[in-house]
Amino acid sequence: MGKEGKIYLIDRDNMGKYCSGCGSDTQIVQEIPGATAGIWGSPAYWNGSVYWGGGNDGSNSDHVKAFSFNANNSGLLSTSPTSASNQLFGFSTAAPVISANGNSNGILWILDNSSFNSSCCQILYAFDATNLATMLYNSNQAANGRDQSGGAVKFTAPIVANGKVY
């Protein structure tokens, strides 16, 4: 997916070669136009779902969205989201990250970097990966601003390691 918000599913076993005179690109298995307002990072994958989040650099914000992958052994993505956050994210929200205990307890983590032009405050969000409408946490919730970070940096993503989110 790119800035225009169109998802491209590519055949990993047939990634290239110049196709002179082709009516369409034969390496593209599936296209989903208008899937999001625009993406500035990589997707995450967990338990048969692919997750994207973000909005474009205009005024369009968008939700974090999940699309199912390979339902009924189709090898394709669902053409509409199977789940979406209620929270809107603007430019330059980047890549979501998943933490889980194997196939259970999936949490989608994502940073809202839309305040990158100011001195405060980037926001870390956590959503139930099976139902993105369920926000589990955000760094503005804690009393006295305990979990608030500093200014946002464009295109950054959280890192999950050894049971901690950085």
Side-chain angles (χ1 to χ4, degrees), residues 31-110:
E31 289 182 44
I32 306 172
T36 73
I39 295 297
W40 306 94
S42 304
Y45 175 85
W46 180 70
N47 265 9
S49 291
V50 180
Y51 302 87
W52 277 281
N56 71 18
D57 59 352
S59 59
N60 295 325
S61 297
D62 207 350
H63 308 271
V64 176
K65 297 176 182 176
F67 293 81
S68 68
F69 176 68
N70 203 28
N72 301 316
N73 292 316
S74 67
L76 301 174
L77 290 164
S78 58
T79 56
S80 59
T82 56
S83 184
S85 68
N86 293 321
Q87 177 69 34
L88 288 169
F89 293 85
F91 174 79
S92 70
T93 297
V97 174
I98 301 289
S99 65
N101 184 11
N103 290 331
S104 62
N105 303 318
I107 299 172
L108 180 137
W109 300 90
I110 193 163

Side-chain angles (χ1 to χ4, degrees), residues 2-59:
K3 295 177 184 180
E4 79 285 353
K6 183 186 294 186
I7 294 175
Y8 295 95
L9 184 62
I10 308 295
D11 181 348
R12 71 167 187 207
D13 296 326
N14 185 15
M15 293 282 294
K17 300 187 183 79
Y18 180 68
C19 185
S20 176
C22 288
S24 63
D25 191 332
T26 58
Q27 289 80 34
I28 297 175
V29 175
Q30 182 183 17
E31 289 182 44
I32 306 172
T36 73
I39 295 297
W40 306 94
S42 304
Y45 175 85
W46 180 70
N47 265 9
S49 291
V50 180
Y51 302 87
W52 277 281
N56 71 18
D57 59 352
S59 59

Side-chain angles (χ1 to χ4, degrees), residues 88-93 111-118 121-122 152:
L88 288 169
F89 293 85
F91 174 79
S92 70
T93 297
L111 288 167
D112 182 345
N113 299 323
S114 61
S115 65
F116 69 90
N117 275 335
S118 66
C121 289
Q122 186 176 52

